[in-house]
């Protein structure tokens, strides 16, 4: 295991629902990330948090709302999603501001299906 | 813009044979290059990285990658493939601080 835990593993929701994805890391890292993985597309960076502060929003639609209450937890709140938002959502962490060459530790992801 | 490309959607190799998964990069300046692997129903796992120094980088599970500046390539290699190496492999590079950009992935299928 990588030390990054995501729940739930699978989620099916309607377009009018509100749900949240949770990520927790036990590695003592200070940076956390949300990535979106769609079939046959490169992974897309969505958000980056450093020491609980959002430092990157990669032009993500407002129907995705991240929250980082502390350096160990990261949430992605979902509301009024579209079918094209169906994907695997991956959380990752890293030691933080060390450098651009540090590696990421990924969770197993939440497979989201929007009906 | 910094980017990587993986020209093969899938690579098939027999167990015991050498394997190569290709990656080319388009990076200004000195590139930071990475390989990650994703097993079924799992997140990505770091395999190795090239920052500077020796062109041959050794990583986890017996994998290595060769940095070739003249060909702008960073191919992943293993001398003898195992069935358990079957997975999705991603090449990546940095586009800025904490911004990794990934290739589209190459599925490796190792047959017994």
């Amino acid at each position: 295991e990588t030390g990054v835990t995501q729940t739930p593993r699978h989620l099916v929701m309607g377009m009018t629902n509100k749900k949240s994805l949770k990520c927790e890391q036990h590695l003592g890292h200070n940076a956390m990330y949300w990535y979106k993985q769609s079939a046959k597309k490169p992974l897309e960076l969505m958000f980056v948090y450093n020491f609980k502060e959002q430092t990157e929003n990669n032009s993500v639609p407002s129907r995705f709302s991240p929250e980082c209450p502390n350096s160990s937890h990261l949430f992605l709140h979902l509301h009024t999603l579209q079918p094209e938002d169906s994907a695997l959502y991956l959380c990752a962490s890293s030691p933080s501001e060390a450098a651009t060459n540090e590696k990421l530790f990924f969770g197993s992801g939440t497979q989201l299906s929007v009906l | 813009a910094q980017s990587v490309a993986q020209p093969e959607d899938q690579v098939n190799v027999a167990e015991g044979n050498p394997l190569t998964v290709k990656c080319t990069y388009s990076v200004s300046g000195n590139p930071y290059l990475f390989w990650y692997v994703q097993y079924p129903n799992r997140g990505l796992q770091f395999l190795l990285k090239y920052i500077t120094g020796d062109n041959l980088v050794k990583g986890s599970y017996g994998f290595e990658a060769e940095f070739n500046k003249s060909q702008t390539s960073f191919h992943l290699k293993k001398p003898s493939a195992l069935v358990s190496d079957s997975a999705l492999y991603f090449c990546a590079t940095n586009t800025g601080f904490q911004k990794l950009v990934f290739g589209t992935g190459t599925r490796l299928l190792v047959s017994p």
Side-chain angles (χ1 to χ4, degrees):
Chain A
E1 294 303 323
T2 63
V4 181
T5 304
Q6 289 187 245
T7 54
R9 292 296 304 270
H10 302 274
L11 179 63
V12 179
M13 60 186 289
M15 290 191 287
T16 58
N17 291 159
K18 290 184 180 181
K19 297 287 184 182
S20 295
L21 311 184
K22 179 183 177 182
C23 176
E24 184 175 1
Q25 57 95 1
H26 307 278
L27 301 168
H29 291 165
N30 293 307
M32 296 188 77
Y33 309 72
W34 280 116
Y35 277 87
K36 176 183 178 182
Q37 183 177 17
S38 305
K40 307 228 171 163
K41 292 173 113 177
L43 270 75
E44 300 171 49
L45 176 64
M46 300 175 72
F47 302 102
V48 182
Y49 278 81
N50 280 281
F51 295 94
K52 305 185 298 178
E53 298 298 320
Q54 187 181 117
T55 52
E56 179 72 21
N57 177 337
N58 195 23
S59 303
V60 180
S62 59
R63 59 185 183 270
F64 294 91
S65 175
E67 179 190 3
C68 189
N70 55 61
S71 292
S72 299
H73 293 86
L74 184 65
F75 296 89
L76 188 62
H77 304 301
L78 316 171
H79 63 98
T80 58
L81 294 191
Q82 305 299 310
E84 60 264 29
D85 296 323
S86 299
L88 181 68
Y89 288 85
L90 292 167
C91 174
S93 71
S94 70
S96 184
E97 73 278 9
T100 55
N101 59 8
E102 62 189 24
K103 66 182 184 183
L104 300 180
F105 294 76
F106 283 85
S108 297
T110 294
Q111 185 66 54
L112 174 67
S113 297
V114 181
L115 304 179
Chain B
Q2 320 282 67
S3 65
V4 291
Q6 295 180 246
E8 303 157 315
D9 287 340
Q10 182 163 315
V11 170
N12 298 305
V13 63
E15 189 173 32
N17 284 358
L19 70 87
T20 298
V21 182
K22 295 180 180 177
C23 172
T24 58
Y25 64 89
S26 175
V27 172
S28 57
N30 295 321
Y32 295 153
L33 298 165
F34 304 79
W35 276 102
Y36 283 78
V37 61
Q38 185 177 31
Y39 297 102
N41 302 312
R42 304 293 293 275
L44 279 71
Q45 295 180 34
F46 171 85
L47 276 180
L48 52 82
K49 67 180 179 183
Y50 172 82
I51 305 301
T52 187
D54 289 341
N55 290 340
L56 188 63
V57 180
K58 294 191 181 297
S60 307
Y61 312 121
F63 283 93
E64 56 190 26
E66 185 175 9
F67 174 71
N68 188 317
K69 188 172 183 178
S70 62
Q71 296 184 6
T72 61
S73 66
F74 188 57
H75 299 334
L76 182 70
K77 300 182 179 185
K78 188 174 182 180
S80 179
L82 300 173
V83 172
S84 58
D85 292 329
S86 298
L88 194 54
Y89 290 81
F90 291 93
C91 182
T93 189
N94 282 107
T95 61
F97 179 64
Q98 290 182 325
K99 296 182 186 180
L100 265 188
V101 62
F102 290 85
T104 50
T106 298
R107 187 165 301 281
L108 174 66
L109 185 59
V110 181
S111 54

